[in-house]
Amino acid sequence: MKFYIVGIDDDGQVAFPMEVGRLVLGHQVFSGGRRHYELMKDRLLPDSRWIFIEPPLERVFAEYEKEMEVVVFASGDPLFFGFAGTVKRRMPEADVEVYPYFSSLQMLAARVQMPYEDMRMVSLTGRDWHELDRALIERCGKIGVLTDGVHTPQAVAERMLAYGYSNYRMYVGEHLGGEQERVLIGRMEEAVGKECRMPNCLILEQREERKRPFGIPDDALEHIEGRENMMTKMPVRLLALSLLDLRERRCLWDIGFCTGAVSVEAKLQFPHLRVVGFERCEERRELLEANCRTYGVPGIEVRMGDFTEVNLEGLESPDAVFIGGHGGKLPRMMELLAGRMQRGGVVVFNSVSAESLELFRASAQACGFVEGKACRLTVDAHNPITVVSVYLP
C-alpha cells in the first residue's frame, strides 16, 4: 500500500509544489482530520472519498487497508510528532512518501527570531507530562512544546511554577500561519490565568540557571519531625542508586518511600525514569511532595497503602525496585515483584540487621532471584547498613 502524506498550513492556502498538485488531481481517496477536510475540500475532485482521522484509529486503518493508495493531509511536518510516524508504526510494510510543510515550532521560532538548533522538542499532544518533566529536570535551555486541550500553555505554566521553574520565559504561538495568528511573550506568572486559542504551541526559554545537585544533603530534605534517622542517608542513597544501575533502567518502584529521599534523588539524577513511590502512612505523602517541589522534581507517581494490598493495575512493570520499608512482609513483597518485574530487573534492599538481611536473601531466592552485589558501610555514628541487590534472570 502507498501513502502520500502532505503537510499543510493552518489556512490551507499554501501553494503546493507541482508534484503535490498532480497527486491531488490524480487520486480519489484522501484522508485527514475534519479541519484538514474543511481546508482542502474545494481542491478535490467531485467523486473523491475522504477518510476522517479520528478515534478509534483502528477503524481508520481498517479503511486504509481497503485501498491501494491514499493521500493524507496533516498539519505542518508529518514526520515531526505527526501522522507519518503513526503510519510507519502501524503499517511498517507500507510505502510512505512525505511532503512536509513547516512545523508549528519552526514557525514560532521564526516569528520571535530565535535560533532553534539547540531546542529540545516535546509533544504533550495526547501524552502525559513525562517528557516535559524530563526536559525541565535536565535544565534544558530551550524547550519547544506541542500542546493540546489539556496540556495548555496555562497548565504548563502552573505545573512549572509549582515546581519552582519560574526561570523560563514563555512564547506562545496561536493559529500560526492562519488569519488569527497571534504570538504572546511573557514570564511564567503571566501565563497563569490566561486562556490561549487553539491550536497553539509554545517555546520555553531559560533566563536564569537553576542548580541541579548530585547527592541531596540530608539536612536539606523535609523529614519526620523528631525522627531524622528515618531517612536513607545520602551515602547509602547514592550507593543504592548505583546498585540499581538506573542509567540502564526505565521504571523504578520505591517501596516504603517515607520522606521520598530515594525517589527524588533517583528522578533528579535520572530524569528519563518513570518513578512510582509506595507508602502506607498518608502524612508522608506531604513530605515527598515538599521535597519534589524544593528540588524541582515533578512526575513521581504515588500509590498509598500497604504494598502487598495496593492495586498495581495500570502501572508499568518495573525493571528496578528499591525496598526502603517492608513491615515484616518481605516474602510476600518478593513474590509480588517476581510476578511483575521485567526479566533482568534488579531489587535493592537496605538491611540494618542480620535477621532482615537473611530474610531478604531467603525470600529472594525462593522467588527465583539471583544475588548480585552487596556492600556494608557505616555513616557517621549510625549503625552499619548492608546494601544488597538481587536480579531476576
Side-chain angles (χ1 to χ4, degrees), residues 117-128:
E117 68 273 3
D118 57 344
M119 187 184 298
R120 171 76 68 85
M121 306 296 190
V122 170
S123 176
L124 298 178
T125 306
R127 295 170 168 85
D128 61 19

Side-chain angles (χ1 to χ4, degrees), residues 270-286:
F270 306 96
H272 70 281
L273 282 176
R274 301 266 183 181
V275 179
V276 184
F278 299 86
E279 176 57 58
R280 291 186 303 176
C281 302
E282 180 62 38
E283 62 270 19
R284 295 176 187 174
R285 181 201 295 264
E286 296 182 5

Side-chain angles (χ1 to χ4, degrees), residues 38-276:
E38 292 300 321
L39 293 172
M40 302 305 303
K41 62 183 180 180
D42 293 337
R43 299 192 185 203
L44 308 180
L45 296 175
D47 58 347
S48 297
R49 178 187 177 215
W50 188 279
I51 301 172
F52 287 97
I53 299 175
E54 53 193 9
L57 285 182
E58 287 74 15
R59 179 199 59 80
V60 178
F61 280 87
E63 291 296 312
Y64 289 161
E65 289 176 355
K66 300 175 184 178
E67 308 295 338
M68 295 295 295
E69 293 188 343
V70 179
V71 178
V72 180
F73 294 102
S75 298
D77 183 353
L79 287 167
F80 182 72
F81 295 109
F83 196 65
T86 303
V87 171
K88 285 178 172 290
R89 285 192 300 272
R90 286 180 172 261
M91 301 182 71
E93 302 302 320
D95 186 4
V96 179
E97 199 167 314
V98 178
Y99 298 85
Y101 188 64
F102 296 108
S103 74
S104 57
L105 288 173
Q106 280 180 298
M107 288 193 282
L108 179 55
R111 298 297 188 270
V112 299
Q113 297 294 291
M114 180 186 295
Y116 64 94
E117 68 273 3
D118 57 344
M119 187 184 298
R120 171 76 68 85
M121 306 296 190
V122 170
S123 176
L124 298 178
T125 306
R127 295 170 168 85
D128 61 19
W129 292 103
H130 180 73
E131 288 303 324
L132 177 60
D133 294 343
R134 177 179 179 177
L136 292 171
I137 295 171
E138 290 178 354
R139 310 306 196 242
C140 292
K142 295 176 189 172
I143 310 171
V145 184
L146 300 179
T147 60
D148 62 15
V150 174
H151 305 90
T152 62
Q154 178 180 342
V156 169
E158 289 173 351
R159 186 175 183 84
M160 291 177 65
L161 290 174
Y163 291 93
Y165 291 100
S166 60
N167 58 325
Y168 281 82
R169 176 174 291 179
M170 180 181 284
Y171 302 79
V172 180
E174 303 174 344
H175 289 276
L176 293 169
E179 293 182 356
Q180 301 181 58
E181 178 179 305
R182 182 173 67 165
V183 175
L184 306 173
I185 304 173
R187 296 178 295 109
M188 301 305 302
E189 293 83 356
E190 295 170 339
V192 175
K194 180 177 293 185
E195 292 189 10
C196 297
R197 295 173 296 191
M198 294 290 293
N200 60 57
C201 64
L202 59 93
I203 294 175
L204 304 168
E205 183 183 30
Q206 186 173 248
R207 310 298 287 180
E208 298 174 1
E209 187 175 355
R210 181 177 180 177
K211 291 183 179 180
R212 180 182 170 196
F214 179 79
I216 303 172
D218 297 333
D219 58 6
L221 287 163
E222 293 289 332
H223 55 264
I224 301 171
E225 191 67 32
R227 305 180 72 182
E228 292 83 354
N229 288 338
M230 287 193 65
M231 176 193 298
T232 305
K233 301 302 180 184
M234 183 177 69
V236 180
R237 188 189 322 142
L238 295 180
L239 174 59
L241 296 185
S242 174
L243 294 186
L244 285 165
D245 193 23
L246 293 178
R247 193 178 302 279
E248 306 302 323
R249 308 292 173 179
R250 288 177 49 85
C251 180
L252 168 69
W253 285 5
D254 180 7
I255 301 175
F257 63 70
C258 194
T259 65
V262 170
S263 288
V264 173
E265 188 85 66
K267 186 75 173 176
L268 187 64
Q269 307 308 333
F270 306 96
H272 70 281
L273 282 176
R274 301 266 183 181
V275 179
V276 184

